[in-house]
Amino acid sequence: MSFQMSAAAVVQQRQWLLLLSMKLSGGGLLQLQRRQIIIATQQQPIHRREKQMVDLEKIISLCKRRGFIFQGSDQYGGLQGTWDYGPLGVELKNNVKRAWWRRIVYERDDMEGLDCAIMMNRLVLKYSGHEETFSDPMVDCRKCKKRFRADQVDPNEKCAEGDKHDLTEPRPFNLMFKTTVGPVADDNNIAYLRPETAQGIFVNFKNVLDSTNRKLPFGIAQIGKSYRNEITPRNFIFRVREFEQMEIEFFVKPGTDEEWHKKWVEDRYNWYVSLGIKPENLRKYEQKKEELAHYAKATVDLLYRFFPEREDENKQFDEVEGIANRTDFDLQCHTKGGKLVLADGREIPNQHAVNKLTYFDHETNQHILPYVVEPSAGVDRATLAFLMDSYFEETVKDDQRIVLRLHPELAPIKVAVLPLKKNNEAIRNTAIQIKNTLMKKSGWRTVYDDTAGIGKLYRRQDEIGTPFCVTVDFDTLEDQSVTVRDRDTMSQERVKIDALQEYLAAKLGNC
Ligand code: ATP
């Protein structure tokens, strides 16, 4: 407990402060009222050296140790490209999704939500172009027989069989997982696990439009699982075969698309920063003409510094989200009588769609195909970015601590209530009662923990990013006050139990 004042010392200091303030003010009642919520603040002599020395290895180790993320199918040796979110991971990931949904669907007046089926009629992915073209270039090494994504292998890399790889010419490998639907497994019943959530939004455009009477511009948001049979899944949850996306299709009148694209780039960038990502770790990258998909007018990728250990600074950054101006390509593919235009210029007329996906513009009295701006983010990559950005190792006096300075909205646990002495029944019961009341009144994920000494319990909560610890001690039984410890500053304040929720709510904000 080298870093914290004992409970008795806090009380002593509190009494001294009270006496002093009463003396200075002539013992005025006003002073006492002001002290109703915070009755003592401990300015600690914290000697702290902190460094953000993070890399994927440290995050993987923390995630396993503390129960954020485990290898998928661990019990049977794993399944490559799959990860399971543990008790804290599921909370963190849910909070990322909730923060996104709140910002995108609740706080705007031009958005609707949607949740589509993962399996879709094969025709959706035929006319979207995925069946024909959703592939990555794949190469094989003739010597070691390993398979690589052509743009991710260095031909000069050392081969396990000696010297350099002997690579084949690249050939396309379709990334969609195929299955059959129903009891007969033949070619007529083929379906795919969706490789992105976007297509479900496009084919529901008319349903949403008709049922909500929306006017342009408006958008549809969806969060859900997507599946890609990545040739080389790697880098923890950065590139996996089963992942989640948070996608927006924002429909606008042609001619206003460029302005909306710019607005969305800013809005999405600001979302990450508002949740604690440091601007120096987040970049906007405008794709060059030759990098753009053939249908895209412009794309800006938001890149996060996922690989800080790489020497070349540009290589430290990779995509967490892409914001594309897709013109009317998608609605054109899926509308009745429309057509899919492929990159090589071939046109595939849509002979199956049953509805026109047009919008009647009352200003011009014309049916138009809206343009689409698509901000498409990965939940897993965003979660990884928030984990990495909040990770700090500190030396406090001569003690080491790891602290996740997660934004309170994202923190898996908001408050931990800890008894100073677990074998004192009155202290324990008071702590449990405080935990239950906080949980019930505020809805915050609040936990009670008495499985170690107070110093260790603080360290554990620091490491999983809990913003506040509430400690119940002997004095609590006398004065109905608790010590609230701040994760980031490690400062402590004495707070009356009946003012605790209000005190924490002011600090936790939008949780
Ligand atoms: P990459 O070039 O890294 O393969 P992409 O450009 O194909 O990604 P999009 O199709 O634009 O990715 O998907 C939108 C978002 O979905 C990405 O920005 C990323 O956050 C997430 N994502 C895509 N593929 C994966 C994957 N295999 N694992 C985890 N997240 C992914």
Side-chain angles (χ1 to χ4, degrees):
M1 281 217 305
S2 56
F3 53 91
Q4 61 135 21
M5 211 181 230
S6 75
V10 169
V11 169
Q12 238 179 20
Q13 189 198 41
R14 187 197 74 215
Q15 286 167 346
W16 183 82
L17 277 171
L18 268 174
L19 274 174
L20 182 70
S21 76
M22 287 170 81
K23 221 173 171 177
L24 288 175
S25 66
L29 187 65
L30 195 65
Q31 288 291 333
L32 279 174
Q33 280 170 344
R34 274 206 207 117
R35 286 172 191 285
Q36 247 168 1
I37 292 189
I38 304 166
I39 56 177
T41 300
Q42 181 193 351
Q43 290 306 327
Q44 288 189 79
I46 296 168
H47 304 291
R48 202 164 72 194
R49 278 180 292 124
E50 70 176 40
K51 232 176 178 183
Q52 192 175 25
M53 288 174 46
V54 65
D55 58 32
L56 270 187
E57 289 313 310
K58 285 185 180 173
I59 296 293
I60 294 170
S61 155
L62 172 73
C63 283
K64 178 150 193 183
R65 193 168 66 248
R66 290 299 187 198
F68 280 92
I69 301 169
F70 311 118
Q71 172 67 62
S73 310
D74 205 12
Q75 177 72 352
Y76 289 96
L79 176 67
Q80 222 197 346
T82 64
W83 295 87
D84 295 341
Y85 285 75
L88 294 173
V90 65
E91 298 292 343
L92 173 60
K93 189 156 80 137
N94 281 344
N95 291 344
V96 170
K97 292 189 278 184
R98 200 173 296 127
W100 185 88
W101 195 264
R102 186 203 297 261
R103 174 73 192 87
I104 300 300
V105 182
Y106 294 175
E107 291 180 8
R108 299 179 64 106
D109 296 320
D110 52 8
M111 291 293 305
E112 299 287 351
L114 188 71
D115 183 20
C116 304
I118 288 173
M119 287 191 298
M120 290 182 289
N121 188 317
R122 180 181 183 176
L123 293 171
V124 174
L125 294 158
K126 169 184 162 73
Y127 286 114
S128 67
H130 284 82
E131 202 168 53
E132 178 122 2
T133 61
F134 192 64
S135 52
D136 276 339
M138 181 173 70
V139 290
D140 290 297
C141 171
R142 294 187 186 91
K143 281 174 15 191
C144 67
K145 310 287 177 225
K146 264 193 167 172
R147 198 156 259 194
F148 305 96
R149 208 172 109 172
D151 56 340
Q152 287 179 353
V153 63
D154 175 0
N156 295 318
E157 187 181 283
K158 202 171 167 343
C159 174
E161 296 299 312
D163 207 19
K164 300 188 294 190
H165 288 301
D166 177 11
L167 299 174
T168 59
E169 282 301 304
R171 60 196 185 285
F173 172 74
N174 195 301
L175 299 182
M176 288 199 294
F177 283 101
K178 212 184 242 183
T179 186
T180 50
V181 175
V184 183
D186 66 20
D187 281 358
N188 296 324
N189 298 321
I190 286 176
Y192 302 99
L193 301 185
R194 68 180 175 201
E196 58 179 32
T197 61
Q199 296 307 320
I201 299 182
F202 295 128
V203 295
N204 273 289
F205 173 71
K206 190 173 159 44
N207 288 334
V208 175
L209 187 65
D210 290 352
S211 57
T212 61
N213 287 321
R214 281 283 182 183
K215 302 275 171 282
L216 291 182
F218 78 96
I220 304 175
Q222 171 160 230
I223 300 177
K225 291 261 184 178
S226 294
Y227 298 83
R228 295 184 190 178
N229 197 3
E230 295 281 354
I231 299 167
T232 40
R234 58 181 170 181
N235 294 326
F236 193 34
I237 53 172
F238 178 83
R239 184 171 304 286
V240 286
R241 290 181 169 138
E242 173 175 324
F243 55 101
E244 268 184 286
Q245 290 183 307
M246 307 183 280
E247 293 198 296
I248 300 163
E249 304 306 332
F250 197 76
F251 302 98
V252 303
K253 284 190 190 175
T256 64
D257 49 303
E258 289 179 17
E259 184 193 331
W260 274 107
H261 183 243
K262 284 200 185 87
K263 279 192 199 163
W264 273 109
V265 171
E266 289 315 305
D267 203 81
R268 295 303 306 137
Y269 179 92
N270 291 338
W271 181 77
Y272 291 96
V273 174
S274 74
L275 288 171
I277 297 285
K278 288 177 273 307
E280 65 266 27
N281 291 335
L282 192 64
R283 283 185 178 174
K284 294 173 200 153
Y285 174 77
E286 171 129 33
Q287 287 191 10
K288 299 190 187 79
K289 244 197 160 85
E290 61 275 18
E291 295 172 304
L292 284 175
H294 73 282
Y295 48 76
K297 205 164 159 186
T299 296
V300 173
D301 289 333
L302 298 182
L303 312 179
Y304 179 73
R305 198 193 296 267
F306 285 109
F307 309 102
E309 71 284 1
R310 292 182 183 165
E311 235 167 71
D312 177 350
E313 200 183 359
N314 285 331
K315 292 195 175 146
Q316 295 177 0
F317 287 81
D318 214 329
E319 179 182 329
V320 61
E321 172 161 353
I323 301 127
N325 179 348
R326 298 175 65 95
T327 69
D328 62 359
F329 174 80
D330 307 278
L331 292 182
Q332 177 66 259
C333 296
H334 290 301
T335 194
K336 183 178 179 183
K339 61 180 185 236
L340 162 65
V341 182
L342 295 166
D344 58 12
R346 274 181 300 142
E347 294 188 355
I348 301 178
N350 190 325
Q351 294 164 339
H352 294 89
V354 294
N355 290 310
K356 284 259 182 213
L357 299 182
T358 49
Y359 170 86
F360 186 70
D361 184 353
H362 287 277
E363 278 172 22
T364 58
N365 274 341
Q366 279 183 336
H367 290 275
I368 58 167
L369 270 183
Y371 271 29
V372 167
V373 174
E374 179 192 75
S376 171
V379 177
D380 308 78
R381 287 192 195 175
T383 302
L384 181 58
F386 288 123
L387 274 170
M388 293 185 76
D389 221 74
S390 63
Y391 181 98
F392 286 85
E393 290 175 1
E394 292 182 354
T395 307
V396 184
K397 290 188 181 169
D398 289 328
D399 216 359
Q400 295 288 328
R401 79 163 183 160
I402 291 173
V403 56
L404 281 188
R405 297 186 192 284
L406 282 169
H407 189 284
E409 206 176 334
L410 302 182
I413 294 166
K414 312 301 179 198
V415 183
V417 186
L418 316 170
L420 192 68
K421 271 242 168 297
K422 74 170 174 186
N423 37 22
N424 180 303
E425 208 181 323
I427 289 183
R428 208 178 55 231
N429 288 343
T430 308
I432 292 171
Q433 203 181 349
I434 291 174
K435 181 252 158 185
N436 288 338
T437 310
L438 271 184
M439 184 68 234
K440 212 188 260 164
K441 280 203 203 157
S442 63
W444 302 319
R445 180 79 206 278
T446 309
V447 296
Y448 166 86
D449 192 1
D450 66 7
T451 55
I454 194 74
K456 257 211 176 124
L457 292 178
Y458 282 158
R459 289 284 181 266
R460 184 182 297 166
Q461 296 301 330
D462 288 344
E463 206 176 354
I464 63 174
T466 306
F468 293 101
C469 288
V470 170
T471 307
V472 177
D473 56 27
F474 289 102
D475 297 313
T476 308
L477 307 176
E478 304 296 319
D479 65 3
Q480 296 299 301
S481 302
V482 288
T483 300
V484 180
R485 176 183 177 274
D486 181 302
R487 173 197 69 197
D488 297 336
T489 62
M490 290 185 286
S491 67
Q492 300 181 7
E493 286 182 327
R494 284 297 281 189
V495 178
K496 285 277 183 201
I497 295 174
D498 55 13
L500 185 60
Q501 196 204 335
E502 192 190 336
Y503 170 88
L504 291 169
K507 304 220 168 211
L508 287 170
N510 228 356
C511 289

